[in-house]
Amino acid sequence: MLITLIRFAFVSSQGSINNEPSPPIGLAYIAGICKSKNVEIDGIDSTGSNVNKVFKIPGTKLQGNGIDIDEIIKLINPKTEIFGISTMFSHEWNYNRECIKKIKKNFPNALIITGGEHVTALPEYVLKDCKEIDYVCLGEGEETWSEIIENRKINKSLDNLKGLAYLKNGKFFRTQIRQRIKHIDDIPWPDWDSFPIESYLDNSMSFGAGSGRDMPILASRGCPFECTFCSNPLMYGRRYYLRQIDDLIKQIKYYIKRYKITGLQFYDLTAIISKDWVIEFCKSLKENNINLEWSLPSGTRSEALDLEVLTALSGANLKYLVYAPESGSTKTLIEIKKKIKLSKMEESIRWAVQQNISVRANLIIGFPKEKRLQLYKTLYQQLKFMFMGTEEAPIFLFQPYPGTELFDYLIKKKKIVLNDAYFDSLNTLSNGELRPPAQTFNVYMSRYELYLYKMIGLILSYSISYITRPKRILRTVKNLFTDRSSSVAEQRLKDNLRRSNLFSKYLKPFVVKIFLKKKGDLKLNVTKKL
């Protein structure tokens, strides 16, 4: 049996400047399961196959990062019996659907199984919109894929396996819900040998601020909170499970030896909840002489981040920490069920800055019922964060993603119609889109007004960051010529410059040779292929 796992090109609006794909850690976990079952695996990661290629998607205003579907088809082994296809993000659905159709046309006898947050949230819609899909894998996929493999080995139907959805004679079926995986240390590690992880490492690609060769990793699964704009409850449930520290340390040591990594990026939904676990992990890093730079780029809360914890994190070489306050309005926080205290978060951020940790605080405006005064409080909160010393406090426009409470509310109010235009509109709400969005969902403010507030926030955020701390200007200029970045803005600027032949082939090597290496900066890698 040959299984081919595929992640299509990362999709964004043409001209977007703040959209950088990350390695397909979900598929790597599925590959690990397949290999533990002694099944032959092929992995195709479009972006990893050509990280510097950006192509226009025909008939759209979108672009893809990586190789296109025609190039993917050329790479597929004709012996493939099952395709496992990642469909994580709703804004990519229209493109993913057309790619799946082409794969089915070229390999009509192979089984196509999709998984990820998008298809988990909308299985019936997805199956009817793309009849080429045979099964949708719902939620966590490891145990489901393990049983898929066992059933296929004996030619047994998959129709009764837990955690699947499918169409039969045009009728939608959803099998019994599969329980969460409690013993997450029993899950095989991600199999990165099946995917071109070196492309990300060699090109210093990073989800957040980076150190160079940053490896994605998970220390936990799930999130116990119930934010109305987040799809986690449907995908993973609200049970929160932490890994055993010994197993995590063992995995980190393996990555250091196998991939020569310089840093770790924890992709956890909510990275820090248990104070005792975090302090013990930091202690274990030191005891094992692990001196990697590491970061928490996905956004976390402040409940466990007191001075003791932040001191431990800094001492263990944490360099970058993202908070997720979402709003500066207490009323908005109550409406979106974000159970945090802004005063507590402000205190935690001040401590983090004092510990020389690079801090980012994510904010959202344009929630459906948000009024201007609530929004203005978020803009004011952004200013407070910047004067406190955060590197960035970006403002995002609210996006109603399938699988969230707010999405269901907007569907009931008939503010959302599920069609191609809706999924494309999600691209225009991304942070990398500098034009007004195609659609917003606030009752009181137009999309142009919300766009104006977003741009004001963008300009003020970075202006204050550099004006109040001018040393950051010199640091940013220097970081453009190294493998390190201290903020997402720096990282994305480097990502875009990397695709410039003039910069990567001529200017960067010249500056490094003449200026930086004379100052003893020996952590540079300018011989890599860019």
Side-chain angles (χ1 to χ4, degrees):
M1 183 191 306
L2 172 61
I3 296 176
T4 298
L5 303 175
I6 300 177
R7 199 270 294 271
F8 299 124
F10 180 81
V11 175
S12 59
S13 295
Q14 290 178 15
S16 294
I17 59 174
N18 189 22
N19 292 286
E20 197 67 29
S22 54
I25 191 168
L27 281 184
Y29 266 108
I30 299 302
I33 283 289
C34 294
K35 283 197 172 180
S36 73
K37 294 288 183 178
N38 297 316
V39 173
E40 186 180 359
I41 289 292
D42 275 352
I44 301 175
D45 172 17
S46 171
T47 300
S49 298
N50 193 338
V51 296
N52 293 316
K53 179 183 177 182
V54 176
F55 63 91
K56 293 183 179 179
I57 298 175
T60 74
K61 295 181 180 179
L62 304 175
Q63 64 187 22
N65 182 187
I67 61 175
D68 61 26
I69 182 59
D70 292 330
E71 294 173 284
I72 287 175
I73 288 173
K74 292 177 183 177
L75 296 176
I76 295 173
N77 189 324
K79 296 181 181 179
T80 299
E81 293 184 33
I82 304 176
F83 288 101
I85 297 177
S86 174
T87 45
M88 279 292 296
F89 303 112
S90 294
H91 71 272
E92 297 181 327
W93 170 243
N94 293 340
Y95 177 69
N96 287 348
R97 178 191 62 210
E98 299 311 308
C99 292
I100 292 170
K101 287 177 179 291
K102 286 192 175 182
I103 287 176
K104 194 67 169 182
K105 182 178 179 180
N106 283 271
F107 304 92
N109 297 321
L111 202 65
I112 293 182
I113 302 173
T114 62
E117 293 202 19
H118 173 71
V119 295
T120 295
L122 297 172
E124 184 173 3
Y125 176 87
V126 163
L127 287 163
K128 291 180 177 179
D129 195 39
C130 185
K131 293 182 172 60
E132 287 76 9
I133 296 174
D134 295 291
Y135 293 94
V136 167
C137 181
L138 305 169
E140 287 179 296
E142 287 86 358
E143 289 186 348
T144 303
W145 269 94
S146 178
E147 292 187 14
I148 287 171
I149 291 168
E150 293 300 324
N151 280 30
R152 289 290 292 185
K153 283 181 178 179
I154 58 175
N155 294 318
K156 186 177 179 180
S157 171
L158 308 181
D159 289 0
N160 295 318
L161 289 186
K162 294 179 181 178
L164 290 178
Y166 58 93
L167 293 181
K168 193 168 187 177
N169 298 321
K171 185 179 179 180
F172 175 71
F173 290 90
R174 187 200 300 260
T175 65
Q176 186 178 345
I177 296 174
R178 186 175 292 277
Q179 296 299 310
R180 283 285 310 283
I181 301 173
K182 296 180 180 179
H183 304 291
I184 59 176
D185 291 295
D186 294 338
I187 302 172
W189 296 344
D191 171 40
W192 289 114
D193 289 342
S194 294
F195 296 95
I197 187 65
E198 294 285 358
S199 295
Y200 298 92
L201 301 176
D202 288 344
N203 285 277
S204 302
M205 296 180 72
S206 174
F207 182 32
S211 69
R213 296 176 65 83
D214 291 304
M215 197 73 174
I217 196 166
L218 287 172
S220 65
R221 285 204 178 182
C223 177
F225 304 106
E226 52 185 11
C227 302
T228 61
F229 56 88
C230 179
S231 60
N232 166 71
L234 189 63
M235 182 71 183
Y236 291 105
R238 293 197 176 98
R239 296 296 299 273
Y240 182 71
Y241 298 107
L242 279 163
R243 292 178 59 184
Q244 294 294 321
I245 291 174
D246 289 346
D247 188 58
L248 188 57
I249 293 295
K250 185 178 178 182
Q251 184 181 8
I252 293 170
K253 286 182 175 180
Y254 170 75
Y255 285 161
I256 293 172
K257 182 179 180 180
R258 174 69 176 81
Y259 298 106
K260 306 296 186 291
I261 62 172
T262 60
L264 293 164
Q265 294 201 329
F266 287 84
Y267 283 16
D268 302 61
L269 290 167
T270 302
I272 296 177
I273 291 179
S274 171
K275 176 178 177 177
D276 292 341
W277 188 95
V278 173
I279 291 176
E280 185 62 30
F281 174 63
C282 292
K283 180 182 177 182
S284 187
L285 286 174
K286 288 185 174 182
E287 290 175 347
N288 286 275
N289 297 314
I290 296 174
N291 297 314
L292 299 173
E293 293 185 8
W294 55 292
S295 65
L296 303 170
S298 296
T300 190
R301 303 166 73 95
S302 57
E303 287 86 347
L305 288 167
D306 59 17
L307 183 57
E308 181 185 4
V309 171
L310 288 163
T311 301
L313 290 169
S314 177
N317 221 19
L318 176 75
K319 295 297 185 182
Y320 180 73
L321 173 61
V322 178
Y323 290 81
E326 316 303 1
S327 177
S329 165
T330 301
K331 183 177 180 180
T332 299
L333 292 172
I334 292 172
E335 289 174 349
I336 64 175
K337 299 181 181 179
K338 186 81 177 184
K339 297 177 181 179
I340 62 168
K341 292 183 179 180
L342 288 170
S343 59
K344 181 80 172 178
M345 185 165 285
E346 289 177 4
E347 182 181 50
S348 181
I349 287 175
R350 287 192 183 94
W351 284 330
V353 172
Q354 290 171 9
Q355 295 298 318
N356 295 316
I357 298 172
S358 180
V359 174
R360 174 182 168 108
N362 291 330
L363 296 162
I364 302 173
I365 60 173
F367 290 106
K369 297 179 181 180
E370 186 175 40
K371 296 182 179 179
R372 286 183 181 84
L373 179 59
Q374 295 168 256
L375 185 149
Y376 294 157
K377 288 181 178 179
T378 297
L379 294 177
Y380 175 66
Q381 186 68 56
Q382 180 195 42
L383 295 178
K384 289 180 70 176
F385 285 145
M386 296 313 300
F387 281 110
M388 286 162 51
T390 61
E391 285 280 348
E392 301 169 297
I395 287 181
F396 299 86
L397 296 180
F398 164 70
Q399 302 183 57
Y401 272 101
T404 67
E405 186 177 325
L406 282 176
F407 173 84
D408 293 339
Y409 166 80
L410 292 168
I411 285 285
K412 290 178 182 177
K413 292 291 183 179
K414 298 183 179 180
K415 299 295 183 181
I416 292 177
V417 177
L418 283 179
N419 54 27
D420 287 5
Y422 159 70
F423 294 119
D424 280 342
S425 75
L426 294 177
N427 282 283
T428 69
L429 285 164
S430 71
N431 198 42
E433 176 62 70
L434 295 180
R435 292 165 291 190
Q439 184 179 12
T440 53
F441 301 88
N442 182 267
V443 176
Y444 303 100
M445 291 166 278
S446 71
R447 61 191 178 105
Y448 295 105
E449 183 177 356
L450 290 171
Y451 169 74
L452 176 63
Y453 295 139
K454 173 189 171 180
M455 297 308 296
I456 290 173
L458 176 68
I459 294 169
L460 286 176
S461 172
Y462 290 104
S463 297
I464 293 171
S465 178
Y466 285 107
I467 290 173
T468 58
R469 290 165 175 79
K471 288 185 179 179
R472 290 179 179 175
I473 299 174
L474 296 176
R475 182 207 66 200
T476 295
V477 173
K478 179 181 177 180
N479 282 348
L480 292 179
F481 299 95
T482 73
D483 292 338
R484 183 174 289 105
S485 59
S486 299
S487 67
V488 172
E490 286 183 2
Q491 183 64 38
R492 296 301 167 258
L493 181 57
K494 287 156 60 75
D495 293 334
N496 283 276
L497 288 173
R498 185 188 67 242
R499 298 186 179 105
S500 165
N501 287 332
L502 178 63
F503 179 84
S504 61
K505 290 186 177 180
Y506 302 105
L507 182 57
K508 180 175 178 177
F510 173 78
V511 171
V512 169
K513 181 178 180 180
I514 301 300
F515 295 102
L516 297 183
K517 282 207 171 181
K518 286 185 177 181
K519 295 182 179 181
D521 190 344
L522 301 178
K523 295 183 179 181
L524 303 168
N525 180 7
V526 297
T527 60
K528 68 183 68 170
K529 295 181 180 180
L530 296 173

